[in-house]
Amino acid sequence: MENLANLNIYKASRTIKRRENTLYNALRSIYEDSIFVGEISQLWPELPLLANLRCGLWYSQKFHSTCYFKSTDGHTNNWSFNTSRLNLHVALLAGQKGGCMIVDSTRKGKRFPDSMSKTIPIWTCVLNRAIWNYRTRFGLAGSAEKNESNDSTECDSSINEDSYSWDCSLHLPLWVSNTERALIEERLDGWTKDLEASGADIASIVLSLKKPLRPLWISQKTVIWLNEVPDCDSWDFTPIILVSTSSPSSNFQQRTTSEFSWRYIAGAGDDEESWARGLSPNLFWKHAYDLISSGPDMCNKKVADIVEKDRVYRAQRGKNAPQISIKPSKSSASSGHFPAQEQLDLEPLCMNIEEKLFDNNSISWLGETNLAVGTTQLAKDASGIDCVLSCDLESNSLCSKESEAHLNLSIVSSKFDRSSLLRNLPSAVNFAKNNLRNGKRLLVCCSSGEDISICVCLAILMSLFDDRGHFDEGRYFSETQVTKLELRRRLVFICQFAVNARPSRGNVKQVFNYLCGGNIKSTS
């Protein structure tokens, strides 16, 4: 054991943190916080419950879907509205269900993570402004709420009145300072223009949302009178209820039950690679009772057994099943066309959330491009596929008798190799070109279906398709100066179909660098 007397303050605090942040403490803290999430979700049972990836996914076993709002987009002086993380499915779902609830947590001793304090409020405000601009531009303001009237004068007046009632203001929690609010508000118009220029399907959101979006904040410190819980329909806005699971009084709290003593960790679900030992949220909830009742002494062994049994189960069925290695702790041994600047035809763009979104057990077809994206484990049994481009390190089970119908590229994340994707893109694009020109349907897959495969599809769309989504073998690409704006527009197009897409910045940058090998003009 390290002698704390010989350590500086920083190393001493890190050592103490490692001792407290045990696997059992983390899982027990998650379990206790999940009880709070369950209680809040029952107050508005009609609202779907969403997990903000990745931390939020640990705090309930019954999520309707997921979303991806990053805290870094809300950090002070680093505010951002990121068009590669539009989360438009959240707005569509909220419009159809009358609102939604988003679950997340934070380790930093705060009541709410910055994703909830600023990122999501910025997102709701920018979307509200884009929706209001769209409705005003096409004379739709008020049409969602007002019944048809034979009196055109009365109809016009009601439209104008409702136009001004659509709330486009920025709603931030009280703990955000006025100075920070003012700096964020200065950027809202620019972010709204970025959204409108990205080609995002604003029309579908206009049809779905009858009232503007507005965030509400609930934490374990929030006082709610159970006999006065308001009905969502009574509000003049569509609520995005932000549920922070963290208890803010202290990062570590000693707690004792009749059986065990353990320490509560705020935001325990964060940074799962550092503590989960291969355990996933899904596996945790399948075995939650056994793990919690096992106590601190047996927890590590039980988790190891569960993870190994799951790995064997997946391997026997030809699924991705990497061997888990634990690093010893130092303290112990809609259409196929790309969206245009404005979308005029509203009806065909209306989406059915229940049929379209959040199905992790299916592949996502990218409109009428003959391109699909999904996970490697789904590729083997996928129907309607003529050829497969696999981006996994291990995908021998996918090997086809016809070598022309399958290509395996061992691409790793940019965290491990900053040029792995870049080196493999020429082969990927060439394989796609040879198959798409013959009218074949191509599936691009990776282990998660959310990052590398998305970026490979992005490179294929940029290189082989024109701006209307037609396959032209690269003629448009060779004759056009491609900009970062165009890259973002096509990424938005992909995300309309693959709603769980989460391409990393490093991989998107490699795609752009690949495209820069031609006649490329870089613009910010």
Side-chain angles (χ1 to χ4, degrees):
M1 183 178 294
E2 295 179 76
N3 186 355
L4 295 183
N6 297 327
L7 299 178
N8 61 36
I9 294 177
Y10 173 76
K11 289 184 177 180
S13 64
R14 295 282 294 180
T15 300
I16 293 172
K17 183 177 180 181
R18 284 197 301 269
R19 292 176 184 173
E20 304 296 351
N21 195 18
T22 66
L23 181 57
Y24 183 81
N25 285 347
L27 295 179
R28 186 63 186 256
S29 300
I30 290 170
Y31 184 81
E32 296 292 324
D33 287 341
S34 72
I35 297 173
F36 168 72
V37 173
E39 292 173 348
I40 297 300
S41 65
Q42 288 304 308
L43 297 180
W44 295 279
E46 70 277 13
L47 298 185
L49 190 68
L50 280 68
N52 193 33
L53 296 175
R54 290 176 307 165
C55 180
L57 199 57
W58 286 91
Y59 290 93
S60 177
Q61 55 183 324
K62 296 181 180 180
F63 282 112
H64 181 281
S65 179
T66 63
C67 55
Y68 189 41
F69 294 97
K70 292 194 68 174
S71 287
T72 53
D73 292 336
H75 286 176
T76 302
N77 296 322
N78 192 47
W79 312 286
S80 175
F81 180 86
N82 198 313
T83 54
S84 66
R85 294 186 288 271
L86 286 178
N87 291 289
L88 296 185
H89 64 285
V90 178
L92 289 166
L93 183 63
Q96 291 196 1
K97 300 295 186 179
C100 68
M101 308 174 74
I102 299 177
V103 175
D104 203 352
S105 67
T106 179
R107 280 181 178 270
K108 298 182 178 180
K110 300 184 294 187
R111 291 178 63 187
F112 293 86
D114 284 343
S115 60
M116 290 183 165
S117 294
K118 285 167 280 189
T119 304
I120 295 177
I122 289 172
W123 174 80
T124 59
C125 181
V126 171
L127 255 63
N128 284 336
R129 291 181 177 219
I131 293 169
W132 187 86
N133 290 344
Y134 190 100
R135 293 173 57 154
T136 303
R137 186 181 305 123
F138 295 109
L140 300 173
S143 61
E145 296 81 2
K146 305 297 180 180
N147 295 325
E148 293 184 2
S149 174
N150 294 328
D151 188 345
S152 60
T153 303
E154 181 181 345
C155 181
D156 289 340
S157 63
S158 68
I159 288 176
N160 291 332
E161 181 181 352
D162 188 75
S163 298
Y164 290 101
S165 66
W166 188 269
D167 186 4
C168 294
S169 57
L170 177 65
H171 293 277
L172 293 172
L174 296 176
W175 55 86
V176 177
S177 67
N178 291 333
T179 300
E180 191 169 4
R181 171 190 290 273
L183 292 172
I184 293 174
E185 288 177 335
E186 291 176 358
R187 295 161 169 79
L188 290 174
D189 287 341
W191 289 330
T192 304
K193 292 177 181 177
D194 290 343
L195 172 60
E196 294 170 338
S198 71
D201 189 5
I202 302 299
S204 291
I205 304 176
V206 169
L207 287 178
S208 178
L209 278 174
K210 304 301 184 293
K211 295 181 285 188
L213 299 166
R214 181 168 176 176
L216 300 174
W217 295 268
I218 294 179
S219 74
Q220 295 197 36
K221 291 290 187 179
T222 303
V223 177
I224 300 177
W225 299 103
L226 296 181
N227 61 337
E228 297 181 3
V229 176
D231 190 335
C232 291
D233 293 336
S234 66
W235 289 324
D236 58 356
F237 53 85
T238 302
I240 306 295
I241 300 177
L242 308 178
V243 182
S244 176
T245 67
S246 305
S247 178
S249 56
S250 174
N251 282 347
F252 296 98
Q253 304 171 17
Q254 188 70 34
R255 299 189 181 183
T256 303
T257 66
S258 59
E259 297 176 296
F260 309 115
S261 177
W262 57 283
R263 283 187 176 271
Y264 172 80
I265 304 172
D270 193 21
D271 191 23
E272 61 191 55
E273 291 90 349
S274 67
W275 61 266
R277 295 174 174 256
L279 191 70
S280 67
N282 186 45
L283 276 179
F284 167 65
W285 285 109
K286 284 182 180 179
H287 305 276
Y289 177 78
D290 287 341
L291 289 171
I292 297 304
S293 60
S294 67
D297 295 335
M298 296 297 296
C299 183
N300 286 15
K301 184 179 184 303
K302 276 192 170 289
V303 167
D305 291 342
I306 290 170
V307 171
E308 178 60 16
K309 287 179 181 178
D310 180 69
R311 188 192 70 81
V312 173
Y313 176 86
R314 295 168 64 84
Q316 290 174 342
R317 286 152 182 78
K319 299 180 180 180
N320 183 43
Q323 184 76 41
I324 302 298
S325 59
I326 306 300
K327 182 179 179 181
S329 172
K330 294 181 180 180
S331 59
S332 68
S334 68
S335 104
H337 298 311
F338 295 132
Q341 293 290 340
E342 295 177 350
Q343 308 216 19
L344 301 177
D345 189 11
L346 292 182
E347 295 303 325
L349 296 172
C350 188
M351 301 181 187
N352 189 329
I353 296 295
E354 299 297 335
E355 296 177 358
K356 181 179 174 64
L357 299 179
F358 324 131
D359 187 358
N360 291 324
N361 296 316
S362 66
I363 61 176
S364 301
W365 287 97
L366 307 184
E368 299 171 1
T369 62
N370 275 351
L371 270 177
V373 65
T375 62
T376 305
Q377 70 182 58
L378 297 175
K380 187 176 181 180
D381 301 320
S383 60
I385 299 296
D386 299 317
C387 45
V388 176
L389 196 165
S390 173
C391 307
D392 265 351
L393 287 174
E394 300 178 5
S395 51
N396 296 329
S397 60
L398 296 177
C399 291
S400 170
K401 295 180 180 179
E402 300 181 58
S403 60
E404 295 181 356
H406 182 272
L407 176 64
N408 179 39
L409 299 175
S410 298
I411 305 175
V412 299
S413 169
S414 59
K415 291 183 178 180
F416 305 105
D417 188 338
R418 294 185 180 181
S419 59
S420 177
L421 178 60
L422 180 61
R423 289 194 304 269
N424 285 280
L425 281 178
S427 298
V429 173
N430 186 59
F431 177 78
K433 183 177 182 179
N434 291 335
N435 284 280
L436 292 174
R437 65 163 38 132
N438 295 321
K440 294 185 177 180
R441 291 160 295 184
L442 171 64
L443 169 65
V444 181
C445 59
C446 66
S447 59
S448 68
E450 299 174 352
D451 185 4
I452 294 175
S453 56
I454 296 294
C455 290
V456 171
C457 284
L458 178 60
I460 293 171
L461 289 175
M462 292 290 294
S463 301
L464 303 177
F465 289 77
D466 64 19
D467 62 338
R468 300 301 300 168
H470 300 136
F471 177 74
D472 68 354
E473 301 192 26
R475 288 188 296 274
Y476 178 83
F477 172 73
S478 63
E479 298 170 356
T480 308
Q481 292 182 327
V482 181
T483 65
K484 289 183 179 179
L485 175 60
E486 181 64 19
L487 191 76
R488 287 195 293 266
R489 289 185 64 244
R490 301 210 186 194
L491 182 56
V492 168
F493 169 79
I494 294 174
C495 293
Q496 289 179 4
F497 302 96
V499 296
N500 291 324
R502 295 192 294 150
S504 65
R505 178 177 296 181
N507 284 335
V508 173
K509 184 177 181 180
Q510 289 182 70
V511 173
F512 188 73
N513 289 340
Y514 164 74
L515 298 174
C516 285
N519 183 25
I520 308 297
K521 177 183 179 182
S522 174
T523 63
S524 58

